[in-house]
Amino acid sequence: MDYKLLALPIVIAFVLTAVATPLFIPLLKRLKAGQSIREEGPQSHQAKAGTPTMGGIVLLLTVVVTCLTAGRLNGDMFILLAAFAAFGALGFADDFIKVVQKRNLGLTAKQKFLLQILVAVVLAVYQQQVSVYGSRVFVPLVDIYWDLGWFYVPFVVFVVVAMVNAVNLTDGLDGLAAGVTVPVALFLALAGAAFGFASTRVFCGALAGACLGFLLYNRHPARLFMGDTGSLALGGGLAAAAILMNVELLLPLAGGVYVLEALSVVLQVAYFKKTGGKRLFRMAPLHHHFELKGWKETRVVRTAVALALVLSVCSWLLTG
């Protein structure tokens, strides 16, 4: 494995993001793109009101520029960037309506869901038609490829929509979504290098580097939030990378922190309805539960990133 080729997009994206992000912060302040904090959230978060959001624009730009300059411009790279940009644009539209136009609802849930499905279907059809594996997915431990047949497209749609929304739910603390994404993206970059998916290696390396650069300004106390622009783009990009390498079944393990965050919301809602108003967690998503148990925000983030690192290493070991 050529580690210089692996490191190149990471370094380029890190430098670009570290340099570009402080240029966007005053611009977002002039646009009055300040974050609104939910009243029902932890009261300690109210101090964050007004912090510039939509910082995901920087992630979008730096990842795209890195991928276009680091080589490997082929069909896979363009589909990766298209999925990444499409979900970023969807998040930007939602952020712009809520933050700049001051309309609290943003896009409706139905609009977001339908647009997410549309992008996922295009991604599934592309992979099914172009990949030598067609509708097969890699099954870890047994090291075989399982042909899903007609079920492949709905399976990919589920993977994409679930991943996008799980990353979005994870983006609730300073540095949490970006910090967790670094080891997950690095795992996918290593998988791309090992399996010969050069475009995925470059793209995921760029994701990891951009998130590291963004953390310089997003770590606690955050000077900038990524908003839905960033979280939806990250979720879509990670899902697209896993799909193009046929390792969708490893994504729930590597992205286990995202899964736990999303699952906590599902369980909270189900338990609330089942018990007539009782709560399973003190607050969902899960990071808020630990905050209300007395954990400092920085401790929650450090624990989540450490868990993401362990799960990503386990995923790498399962690739054989």
Side-chain angles (χ1 to χ4, degrees), residues 96-126:
F96 187 83
I97 293 170
K98 288 187 296 186
V99 177
V100 178
Q101 295 189 343
K102 308 301 181 185
R103 289 164 50 191
N104 292 334
L105 293 178
L107 295 174
T108 66
K110 183 177 181 180
Q111 288 172 329
K112 287 187 282 190
F113 190 60
L114 289 175
L115 289 169
Q116 289 173 9
I117 290 176
L118 176 62
V119 178
V121 168
V122 172
L123 182 60
V125 171
Y126 170 86

Side-chain angles (χ1 to χ4, degrees), residues 299-310:
R299 181 187 177 188
V300 177
V301 174
R302 285 197 303 267
T303 303
V305 173
L307 178 58
L309 179 59
V310 170

Side-chain angles (χ1 to χ4, degrees), residues 183-201:
V184 180
L186 286 175
F187 155 66
L188 291 172
L190 283 168
F195 296 154
F197 292 94
S199 298
T200 306
R201 166 181 57 78

Side-chain angles (χ1 to χ4, degrees), residues 15-320:
V15 172
L16 287 176
T17 308
V19 172
T21 301
L23 302 178
F24 273 82
I25 293 176
L27 174 62
L28 291 170
K29 286 182 177 179
R30 286 197 296 272
L31 290 174
K32 297 182 179 180
Q35 180 69 46
S36 297
I37 305 299
R38 295 181 303 136
E39 289 293 334
E40 61 270 23
Q43 288 303 304
S44 60
H45 286 214
Q46 295 303 316
K48 301 181 182 184
T51 302
T53 187
M54 298 172 65
I57 297 171
V58 185
L59 294 175
L60 281 168
L61 293 176
T62 55
V63 169
V64 170
V65 169
T66 300
C67 290
L68 293 178
T69 56
R72 306 300 177 182
L73 298 180
N74 54 24
D76 281 359
M77 178 60 81
F78 287 118
I79 201 71
L80 283 167
L81 292 178
F84 181 64
F87 282 109
L90 175 59
F92 175 82
D94 196 39
D95 281 339
F96 187 83
I97 293 170
K98 288 187 296 186
V99 177
V100 178
Q101 295 189 343
K102 308 301 181 185
R103 289 164 50 191
N104 292 334
L105 293 178
L107 295 174
T108 66
K110 183 177 181 180
Q111 288 172 329
K112 287 187 282 190
F113 190 60
L114 289 175
L115 289 169
Q116 289 173 9
I117 290 176
L118 176 62
V119 178
V121 168
V122 172
L123 182 60
V125 171
Y126 170 86
Q127 179 67 355
Q128 191 176 45
Q129 297 300 317
V130 173
S131 170
V132 296
Y133 294 103
S135 56
R136 290 179 290 171
V137 298
F138 176 73
V139 182
L141 294 179
V142 292
D143 293 342
I144 63 171
Y145 283 86
W146 177 26
D147 192 343
L148 297 181
W150 65 267
F151 186 64
Y152 180 75
V153 172
F155 169 72
V156 168
V157 169
F158 173 78
V159 169
V160 172
V161 173
M163 189 65 176
V164 166
N165 288 287
V167 176
N168 184 239
L169 288 170
T170 305
D171 183 32
L173 299 179
D174 295 355
L176 181 58
V180 168
T181 297
V182 171
V184 180
L186 286 175
F187 155 66
L188 291 172
L190 283 168
F195 296 154
F197 292 94
S199 298
T200 306
R201 166 181 57 78
V202 171
F203 175 77
C204 291
L207 276 186
C211 285
L212 283 170
F214 191 73
L215 279 169
L216 297 176
Y217 309 95
N218 183 238
R219 70 182 188 275
H220 186 76
R223 296 168 54 192
L224 178 68
F225 299 139
M226 67 172 64
D228 286 0
T229 307
S231 61
L232 296 189
L234 290 179
L238 293 172
I243 289 163
L244 291 191
M245 293 190 293
N246 306 98
V247 295
E248 298 95 330
L249 296 181
L250 281 172
L251 197 55
L253 176 60
V257 173
Y258 308 133
V259 174
L260 290 174
E261 293 278 19
L263 188 60
S264 70
V265 174
V266 173
L267 291 175
Q268 183 85 317
V269 172
Y271 190 79
F272 187 85
K273 291 181 178 179
K274 183 73 174 179
T275 60
K278 293 183 180 179
R279 297 177 184 273
L280 183 61
F281 303 102
R282 296 191 179 186
M283 185 176 290
L286 193 59
H287 53 261
H288 290 323
H289 169 76
F290 288 107
E291 277 192 289
L292 294 183
K293 287 192 68 173
W295 286 30
K296 290 184 178 180
E297 183 173 348
T298 50
R299 181 187 177 188
V300 177
V301 174
R302 285 197 303 267
T303 303
V305 173
L307 178 58
L309 179 59
V310 170
L311 294 174
S312 295
V313 171
C314 292
S315 300
W316 173 244
L317 294 175
L318 286 176
T319 62

